[in-house]
Amino acid sequence: MPGRWPTTIARSRLALTLLAWLFLLLGAPAVATAQAPTAAPSDAPLVLVFDLDGAVGPATSEYLRRGLETAAAREAELAVILMDTPGGLDSSTREIIADILASTTPVAVFVTPAGSRAASAGTYILYASHLAAMAPGAHLGAATPVQMGGSNPLMPERRESDEDAEGAQPDAMTAKVTNDAVAYIRSLAGLHGRNADWAERAVRRAETLTATEALDQGVIEILTRDLDGLLAAADGRTVMVNGEARVLNTAGAQVETLAPNWRAQILAVITNPNIAYLLMMVGVYGLIFEFTSPGAVGPGAVGAVSLLLGLFALNMLPVDYAGVALMALGVGLLLLEALAPGLGIFGAAGAIALALGSVMLFREAPGFKLSPYVILSTVGLSIAFFVVALRAVAQSTRRAVATGQAALLNAHAVVKNWNGDQGYVHAQGEDWHARSAVPLTPGQPVRIAARDGLTLTVEPENPA
């Protein structure tokens, strides 16, 4: 035991050091890996390309912010965002739009390849871009905001006037959120002279357009099949960047693709709702196991790291705190069932609360949903963990002590030699000095009644 304590402290310090470094890395502002301008021999203009494929979230915002900073540092002629997204989080979308509007480099959004979409959040980002392009077969629209409570009742279809719509008035919160979204997208449309009326219909009625229809209705400027076609069509066009007219020079441009850095990649992993959920559960179970079986260090360190990463991710995701409370209640009831069995009542209630809390954990957002298979697997493993692992720990704490002074009390011994009221007895493989109130004889079995330092008090065993 004396040698184990320093080792435990060292492991704990190592775990805390790793945690500190991890959060310094995650919490530190991302530094754009701006390379020194490396002009081609022909001094060709530089075009940087970013890939927005999937749901719009914190990782996407981080990636594009870094990319636009790099584009500005390298004096790129154009930044192109290749887009295929079902939508995403409102907060991340607004961050991306703010970065585009503040960018000193013109930004083109290209919905490609055929079959791609710029739905929901993607429509807002496309409207914010300085140049909008689509590939044949792509589509955009369905920009109705998701209601904060989790459900998504669409606004009723507008008629000649909202006042004429009998019985179709939306609730106050839906109207407030939708009207804010309408004003937002109309203001973006006005920046570059795009169709603001259709943008409003995309929000209020969830309308969509094909690429050809988007070109005909003045939603995009370019219809082309590939990036080369986009650069050829963009050459010589005039775009407004921060209120100033800029003529694009993209003929014969040097094209580079900028991949996400390590921080954006980590954010993309941990902000996946399934990963964030699993990290949080592993963290909770690791800490519970450490508290019920102190000294293991490993489960506690892994649990602390996992829980903090999970909470860090949940802080950036649309979380419903009623779901968090139900999950906490479920874990507590399962723990109670393991430590103080209640005929399965606590366990059943805990499993139900954990499952319901998991379903309610994330508010509805395009591309950010918790898989039902992950929920079922986690709830099942949780029940097994608490029923088997923690019950075994609880039972081990109730076992009789097998070492130390407590183990000597009531233990059997045999008298080795005796003189008057004291002598020596053999107990648990050792010879002990002993005293007794009654005379004893060598070889007589005795029972240990008490211990005072290195002297035992013994008494004759009762005959069987």
Side-chain angles (χ1 to χ4, degrees):
M1 187 67 182
R4 183 182 178 185
W5 180 245
T7 304
T8 302
I9 293 178
R11 291 177 180 174
S12 301
R13 287 178 177 172
L14 176 60
L16 292 174
T17 302
L18 292 175
L19 278 174
W21 274 106
L22 179 63
F23 276 89
L24 281 174
L25 292 174
L26 286 177
V31 179
T33 56
Q35 304 172 6
T38 54
S42 60
D43 292 328
L46 174 64
V47 173
L48 290 182
V49 179
F50 318 116
D51 193 7
L52 198 170
D53 185 8
V56 176
T60 313
S61 174
E62 170 73 26
Y63 168 46
L64 293 180
R65 179 182 296 112
R66 180 185 72 93
L68 293 178
E69 289 174 355
T70 302
R74 299 184 62 182
E75 299 181 353
E77 182 69 19
L78 183 67
V80 180
I81 300 174
L82 305 181
M83 180 183 289
D84 180 12
T85 178
L89 303 182
D90 175 74
S91 58
S92 299
T93 302
R94 290 178 180 267
E95 289 174 0
I96 292 171
I97 290 174
D99 290 335
I100 291 175
L101 298 181
S103 174
T104 58
T105 302
V107 177
V109 168
F110 184 20
V111 186
T112 186
S116 298
R117 56 181 171 169
S120 190
T123 301
Y124 292 85
I125 296 173
L126 181 140
Y127 261 82
S129 66
H130 304 97
L131 191 63
M134 295 180 71
H139 66 279
L140 82 163
T144 304
V146 174
Q147 195 177 34
M148 293 178 65
S151 60
N152 185 21
L154 298 180
M155 291 288 290
E157 183 175 329
R158 292 188 70 191
R159 306 178 189 180
E160 292 300 322
S161 67
D162 284 342
E163 290 79 7
D164 297 334
E166 297 180 0
Q169 290 299 324
D171 64 84
M173 180 56 71
T174 302
K176 181 178 179 179
V177 172
T178 305
N179 288 337
D180 176 73
V182 167
Y184 188 43
I185 201 167
R186 289 189 72 96
S187 67
L188 295 175
L191 292 175
H192 305 292
R194 298 195 178 106
N195 190 331
D197 292 334
W198 180 84
E200 180 171 349
R201 293 197 299 273
V203 175
R204 293 193 183 278
R205 304 182 190 176
E207 286 192 3
T208 58
L209 290 177
T210 65
T212 303
E213 292 170 340
L215 182 66
D216 293 340
Q217 296 192 32
V219 174
I220 63 172
E221 290 78 45
I222 297 175
L223 180 66
T224 182
R225 293 187 177 277
D226 52 31
L227 182 60
D228 290 338
L230 168 64
L231 297 181
D235 187 52
R237 284 183 178 266
T238 301
V239 296
M240 299 299 295
V241 181
N242 293 327
E244 298 181 359
R246 178 88 63 88
V247 178
L248 297 178
N249 175 25
T250 55
Q254 172 190 356
V255 179
E256 292 184 16
T257 299
L258 190 66
N261 65 355
W262 63 268
R263 188 173 189 268
Q265 292 174 358
I266 291 176
L267 283 176
V269 172
I270 67 174
T271 55
N272 180 311
N274 297 297
I275 301 298
Y277 174 76
L278 291 175
L279 282 172
M280 188 174 65
M281 298 305 295
V282 169
V284 169
Y285 296 157
L287 292 179
I288 289 175
F289 189 85
E290 178 69 26
F291 292 147
T292 55
S293 181
V297 178
V302 172
V305 172
S306 299
L307 183 59
L308 290 174
L309 281 176
L311 293 176
F312 177 79
L314 290 180
N315 183 56
M316 295 185 288
L317 295 174
V319 175
D320 189 327
Y321 290 99
V324 175
L326 274 174
M327 289 182 63
L329 176 63
V331 171
L333 288 173
L334 287 172
L335 179 60
L336 185 60
E337 176 67 31
L339 299 179
L343 301 178
I345 297 176
F346 296 143
I352 294 172
L354 182 60
L356 291 176
S358 300
V359 172
M360 297 170 55
L361 182 60
F362 295 105
R363 295 195 298 269
E364 184 179 349
F368 287 87
K369 293 183 179 179
L370 190 58
S371 169
Y373 300 106
V374 172
I375 295 175
L376 291 174
S377 301
T378 304
V379 172
L381 290 174
S382 299
I383 295 173
F385 175 82
F386 282 104
V387 170
V388 178
L390 289 185
R391 181 165 292 182
V393 172
Q395 289 175 350
S396 67
T397 61
R398 301 190 192 105
R399 293 175 182 169
V401 180
T403 60
Q405 178 172 341
L408 283 172
L409 297 179
N410 296 316
H412 299 285
V414 177
V415 177
K416 293 198 66 176
N417 54 69
W418 200 262
N419 183 15
D421 62 351
Q422 60 182 323
Y424 286 88
V425 298
H426 188 77
Q428 297 185 351
E430 298 176 320
D431 291 340
W432 291 80
H433 182 260
R435 289 192 178 92
S436 176
V438 297
L440 300 175
T441 59
Q444 182 178 354
V446 292
R447 183 181 64 85
I448 300 173
R451 175 187 171 186
D452 181 14
L454 297 178
T455 301
L456 303 180
T457 300
V458 298
E459 56 188 28
E461 285 192 346
N462 295 326

